């Protein structure tokens, strides 16, 4: 087997908020089909890094490269188009819409009909809508959610809402999937199911995954590499075994 190519390359990333350096000199890579964990105490800068990767914030220094393409200064919707999908710490589904409509919204990039075509319900509209519905059903089927396609998203149990959010992110066709505390609010059984889902997503869709998570059992159980942040800087990077034994990490985060 040849060397895996680098999907995400973060070099010397930093951002200031009104003179406060929230993230400084952050560098790490994510290889193709790799699951990487981003961990650290509350306020370490993890979500800020995610917001920089998705162009919610513009870095004041450093570079972000996705599969060879420099993302600096791109609009958020362009970043999605280039191949970064994301879920959020607080589930952000369109809770009043059906399960399938939540997925179809993410397929918007594939729709090419104009406003007039949509308003007049011309043949092109029906053709593209039919294709989007079929693709959404396909994705839902993979995650055993197809039978719930017409249910309002807010009526799904918590674990399935998390799953739906991952399905919606995958519908954009990402090369890299960012998961922001996917196990938040889950019980032990749901977390175990989530671990299986994350590994399955990597294998089935061939995506790289970068996740922020406080549940160390999940992180140590599925991540091949872990990057540790403290006060906005990387204090360690390595395999789960290396991180577990790293004195700096033990002192800052894991505890003895």
């Amino acid at each position: 087997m040849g060397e895996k190519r680098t999907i995400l390359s973060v070099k010397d990333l930093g951002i200031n908020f009104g003179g406060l350096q929230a993230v400084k000199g952050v560098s790490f890579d994510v290889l193709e089909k790799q699951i990487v964990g981003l961990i650290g105490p509350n306020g370490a800068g993890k979500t800020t890094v995610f917001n920089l990767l998705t162009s919610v914030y513009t870095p004041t220094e450093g570079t972000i490269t996705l599969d060879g393409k420099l993302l600096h200064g791109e609009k958020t919707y362009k970043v999605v188009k280039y191949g970064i999908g994301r879920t959020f710490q607080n589930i952000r589904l369109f809770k009043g819409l059906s399960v399938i409509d939540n997925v179809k919204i993410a397929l918007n990039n594939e729709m090419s009909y104009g406003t007039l075509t949509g308003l007049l319900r011309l043949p092109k509209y029906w053709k593209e809508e039919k294709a989007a519905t079929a693709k959404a059903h396909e994705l839902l089927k993979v995650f055993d959610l197809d039978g719930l396609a017409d249910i309002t998203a807010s009526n799904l149990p918590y674990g399935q809402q998390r799953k739906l959010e991952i399905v919606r992110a995958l519908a954009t066709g990402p090369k890299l999937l960012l998961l922001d505390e996917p196990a938040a609010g889950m019980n032990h059984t749901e977390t175990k199911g989530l671990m299986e889902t994350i590994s399955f997503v990597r294998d089935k869709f061939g995506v790289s995954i970068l996740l922020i998570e406080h549940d160390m059992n999940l992180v140590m159980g599925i991540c091949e590499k872990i990057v540790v942040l403290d006060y906005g800087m990387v204090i360690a990077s390595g395999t789960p075994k290396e991180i577990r034994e790293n004195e700096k990490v033990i002192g800052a985060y894991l505890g003895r």
Side-chain angles (χ1 to χ4, degrees):
M1 271 180 72
E3 264 192 43
K4 286 186 174 184
R5 78 180 198 277
T6 301
I7 292 297
L8 177 74
S9 181
V10 175
K11 293 270 181 282
D12 299 319
L13 197 62
I15 188 169
N16 284 307
F17 293 117
L20 174 74
Q21 185 96 37
V23 168
K24 182 179 171 62
V26 168
S27 298
F28 63 89
D29 291 338
V30 179
L31 305 179
E32 62 180 325
K33 297 185 183 178
Q34 191 178 34
I35 302 176
V36 178
L38 189 61
I39 70 168
N42 284 329
K46 303 181 297 295
T47 297
T48 302
V49 169
F50 267 28
N51 286 335
L52 287 164
L53 295 179
T54 51
S55 280
V56 173
Y57 302 148
T58 304
T60 39
E61 56 200 40
T63 58
I64 299 163
T65 311
L66 180 73
D67 204 11
K69 180 163 186 59
L70 204 59
L71 295 186
H72 191 88
E74 292 287 5
K75 301 280 186 203
T76 299
Y77 75 89
K78 280 266 182 76
V79 170
V80 172
K81 220 168 188 173
Y82 295 144
I84 294 184
R86 179 182 183 176
T87 68
F88 293 86
Q89 188 177 341
N90 304 312
I91 297 173
R92 292 192 193 176
L93 293 171
F94 296 100
K95 296 202 171 179
L97 296 182
S98 67
V99 166
I100 195 160
D101 281 344
N102 267 275
V103 181
K104 282 175 70 178
I105 281 169
L107 295 168
N108 198 38
N109 278 341
E110 297 179 18
M111 307 288 202
S112 61
Y113 63 78
T115 308
L116 194 63
T117 302
L119 285 171
L120 298 176
R121 301 290 197 262
L122 297 177
K124 189 177 184 185
Y125 164 84
W126 290 113
K127 186 183 173 191
E128 291 192 9
E129 280 293 319
K130 189 179 175 187
T133 302
K135 187 167 181 181
H137 272 296
E138 248 173 70
L139 276 167
L140 289 170
K141 201 173 283 177
V142 169
F143 290 87
D144 297 323
L145 291 172
D146 196 39
L148 305 168
D150 298 320
I151 284 177
T152 305
S154 60
N155 291 335
L156 288 179
Y158 187 83
Q160 286 181 324
Q161 286 190 29
R162 278 273 176 218
K163 212 185 254 191
L164 176 58
E165 202 182 24
I166 292 172
V167 175
R168 188 178 62 184
L170 285 169
T172 64
K175 297 171 184 176
L176 173 69
L177 184 60
L178 306 181
L179 304 177
D180 193 349
E181 295 204 29
M186 286 190 171
N187 61 37
H188 177 71
T189 308
E190 287 169 332
T191 301
K192 196 168 177 296
L194 176 71
M195 287 171 75
E196 288 164 10
T197 299
I198 292 169
S199 297
F200 170 77
V201 164
R202 188 267 307 274
D203 298 338
K204 171 83 178 170
F205 295 90
V207 296
S208 305
I209 295 170
L210 177 63
L211 60 94
I212 292 172
E213 188 49 69
H214 284 292
D215 187 319
M216 284 300 109
N217 289 330
L218 184 147
V219 173
M220 297 290 176
I222 61 168
C223 293
E224 296 144 90
K225 174 181 165 183
I226 298 169
V227 179
V228 189
L229 288 184
D230 195 24
Y231 294 106
M233 292 184 284
V234 175
I235 60 164
S237 178
T239 63
K241 185 178 186 297
E242 288 165 346
I243 295 303
R244 206 182 275 118
E245 294 167 359
N246 185 296
E247 289 298 325
K248 258 188 181 174
V249 179
I250 291 165
Y253 186 48
L254 294 179
R256 290 197 172 273

